[in-house]
Amino acid sequence: MGMFDGKKGMVFGIANDHSIAWAITEKLHAEGAEMGFTHIPDKNPERPRMERRLRKLVEPIGAKVIMPCDVQNEEDIDAAFAAAKETFGELDFVLHSIAYAPMDDLKGLVVNCSREGFKLAMDISAYSLIALAQRAQHVLKPGGSILTLTYLGGEKVIPGYNMMGICKAALESTTEYLASEMGPMGIRVNAISAGPLKTLSSSAVGEFDLMLKLYEDFSPMRRGVTPEEVGKSGLYLLSDLASGVTGETLHVDGGYHIMG
Ligand code: NDP
């Protein structure tokens, strides 16, 4: 019997099999969860590359919903939660694993980043958690759980992480405010602060290999973390094992964050 038998959830943010959301999904599936998934809308509907990429991964694990959702688009988000409600009735969890910043603004110094780039990055990387929680509050059961992904660059200055650090600071604060407001509804909201993992998003972050090396040299565990380790912690925070945990940012980083 699995820990998630009979549990249902929506997952936002699988781009491919390197995505952190996929590592968490694999764990949830192994424990019996039923899930729906979204992908960024395809620019050319004749060649639905994003949809095809997601379908290839999630159909074999019995995906119940697969649909486009740009988190900047209110109608897309409404449609995703309407589909979740129609398919599942109520939900037990929502996974938010989404971030974006325009390359020029991300690569450059914060002092030079553009207003438009900043607004876009904050909208997709931080506000989107509010946008999902806004809909999720009407579909999540009491005892339900929301989880997002953050990085140490939201707490401390990490060279190369630049404006995304500001977005993550906003995301972590958002996690706390949402947790305090949704606690009375019986809904928990948490974040995982993951160590660096090679994914599509992280390939856009400057100095990524240097970051990995720092973890290997200086973290208490003297190594980076694996997607599987982040997946296991995601499973924990979304499960009843974490029924007393909310507003938390759990570091899954081999302890790197404690080092001075
Ligand atoms: P991925 O690129 O695999 O996942 C990021 C996801 O965000 C993609 O599925 C991407 O879709 C999606 N996305 C971007 N813009 C939008 C949008 N407007 N609407 C809907 N979805 C969107 O990278 P990761 O798995 O690494 O990233 C997941 C989360 O983990 C992010 O919040 C990231 O900051 C965080 N994180 C990552 C770490 C790492 O080292 N990899 C470390 C700590 C935290 P698409 O690609 O199709 O555009």
Side-chain angles (χ1 to χ4, degrees):
M1 210 178 99
M3 217 186 340
F4 276 75
D5 282 348
K7 304 239 183 215
K8 295 153 173 77
M10 285 295 287
V11 175
F12 297 80
I14 297 181
N16 58 35
D17 61 348
H18 296 288
S19 295
I20 293 177
W22 174 244
I24 298 173
T25 292
E26 283 189 299
K27 294 292 166 198
L28 290 162
H29 169 66
E31 291 296 331
E34 287 178 60
M35 286 167 277
F37 302 89
T38 65
H39 59 85
I40 198 103
D42 279 288
K43 288 199 180 84
N44 179 358
E46 311 268 292
R47 296 176 57 206
R49 213 162 53 88
M50 303 302 182
E51 182 186 338
R52 227 181 294 131
R53 214 165 50 175
L54 182 65
R55 276 190 186 281
K56 209 170 131 195
L57 273 179
V58 300
E59 276 180 349
I61 62 162
K64 297 283 183 291
V65 175
I66 301 173
M67 59 188 301
C69 178
D70 178 344
V71 292
Q72 288 200 283
N73 184 318
E74 304 289 349
E75 284 159 19
D76 280 8
I77 306 173
D78 284 339
F81 277 94
K85 191 168 180 193
E86 196 183 312
T87 309
F88 298 121
E90 289 180 308
L91 291 178
D92 298 281
F93 62 90
V94 171
L95 174 58
H96 169 277
S97 188
I98 285 171
Y100 176 80
M103 200 60 91
D104 285 349
D105 292 300
L106 182 63
K107 294 266 186 213
L109 299 181
V110 168
V111 70
N112 292 328
C113 90
S114 69
R115 188 183 299 266
E116 279 314 305
F118 185 85
K119 279 204 268 188
L120 181 61
M122 282 292 247
D123 188 22
I124 297 178
S125 311
Y127 178 76
S128 63
L129 180 64
I130 298 177
L132 297 194
Q134 209 168 84
R135 279 64 174 200
Q137 66 180 322
H138 305 299
V139 193
L140 278 170
K141 285 183 193 160
S145 176
I146 299 175
L147 178 64
T148 188
L149 269 302
T150 185
Y151 179 64
L152 186 60
E155 295 168 58
K156 296 196 168 130
V157 173
I158 307 280
Y161 205 60
N162 305 341
M163 71 177 306
M164 189 49 74
I166 301 171
C167 296
K168 291 304 192 192
L171 182 71
E172 289 171 26
S173 180
T174 301
T175 301
E176 292 180 2
Y177 275 90
L178 290 176
S180 92
E181 292 176 4
M182 298 181 89
M185 305 171 196
I187 298 169
R188 298 180 297 105
V189 188
N190 291 293
I192 285 181
S193 182
L197 291 167
K198 287 210 163 167
T199 65
L200 263 186
S201 290
S202 65
S203 64
V205 175
E207 315 278 3
F208 183 79
D209 288 335
L210 176 66
M211 262 188 217
L212 267 182
K213 178 88 172 73
L214 286 171
Y215 279 70
E216 285 162 14
D217 290 346
F218 299 115
S219 75
M221 293 169 74
R222 297 291 189 275
R223 63 172 178 82
V225 290
T226 63
E228 206 209 344
E229 287 172 320
V230 179
K232 285 191 289 189
S233 296
L235 184 73
Y236 156 69
L237 282 173
L238 289 174
S239 81
D240 199 50
L241 290 177
S243 59
V245 182
T246 195
E248 184 70 6
T249 294
L250 176 66
H251 294 86
V252 184
D253 65 351
Y256 186 82
H257 67 286
I258 66 169
M259 303 305 285

